[in-house]
Amino acid sequence: RRVGSIFAVRAAARFRGALLSRAAGPLEIGGFPPAAVLVPILNRPGGPTLLFTLRTEDVPHHKGEISFPGGGRAAGEPAEAAALREALEEVGLEPARAEVLGAMDDLPSVWRYVVTPIAAAIADPPARFGAQPGEVVEPFEVPLAALLAPGVRRAEWFEPSRLPPDVARALLPIR
């Protein structure tokens, strides 16, 4: 299945190439269950966008946070299947619309999960996404070009002393 505009085709190809150039780094941490998020790259007339969600204050974890659609994985559930399932549940993104580009490195979460990000190109996204009541306040999009603009990119490591003690103990050995 082909991604839409030439700009979106190029963006999807770059993501796919980067993900295929090396194996995703798996991570296992005792007491941290697996989770997955979908990193949806949407084909829009003005250029590709990324889809995010603003979480409600009612969820047990990630209250009021901005995140990609995602959540915990069921026992034996592959990361790709979990990411697509969660995107359907949280914002109504039909899995058939997603062309999975690949998995990124697993990441530990301060909420005690090991998260696998799954990148996907969405050639024909709906005009609007829904929000799962009680979990998502609103889905929203950010132009990929804005996120890639010079001076925007930043990386930050959590200082272990700022983490809950049990999380810090679990993460220090993998630093």
Side-chain angles (χ1 to χ4, degrees):
R1 190 168 116 152
R2 303 263 321 156
V3 178
S5 76
I6 191 68
F7 191 61
V9 169
R10 288 182 182 152
R14 287 184 69 190
F15 274 93
R16 186 183 301 104
L19 294 170
L20 291 175
S21 70
R22 66 179 185 79
L27 180 63
E28 288 188 32
I29 303 172
F32 282 51
V37 296
L38 192 69
V39 181
I41 307 161
L42 309 176
N43 177 36
R44 293 294 189 199
T49 63
L50 288 181
L51 176 66
F52 294 93
T53 64
L54 173 60
R55 311 293 289 183
T56 69
E57 294 293 332
D58 302 326
V59 291
H61 305 294
H62 312 292
K63 293 178 187 301
E65 292 181 7
I66 293 173
S67 65
F68 290 114
R73 291 165 52 186
E77 183 179 33
E80 179 180 316
L84 292 169
R85 174 183 52 76
E86 289 285 343
L88 174 62
E89 291 172 6
E90 293 181 5
V91 298
L93 176 60
E94 294 290 337
R97 290 182 184 257
E99 175 192 345
V100 172
L101 303 174
M104 294 180 236
D105 292 347
D106 287 351
L107 299 167
S109 159
V110 296
W111 293 107
R112 298 168 185 86
Y113 286 92
V114 172
V115 181
T116 303
I118 303 293
I122 316 301
D124 58 344
R128 293 181 50 104
F129 290 92
Q132 181 182 22
E135 194 165 335
V136 175
V137 173
E138 70 174 318
F140 65 95
E141 298 175 38
V142 177
L144 186 57
L147 295 171
L148 297 176
V152 171
R153 187 174 173 178
R154 166 185 119 168
E156 181 178 321
W157 284 99
F158 279 106
E159 172 55 42
S161 65
R162 293 177 28 213
L163 297 172
D166 62 321
V167 174
R169 278 192 302 279
L171 297 181
L172 282 173
I174 61 165
R175 194 174 208 193

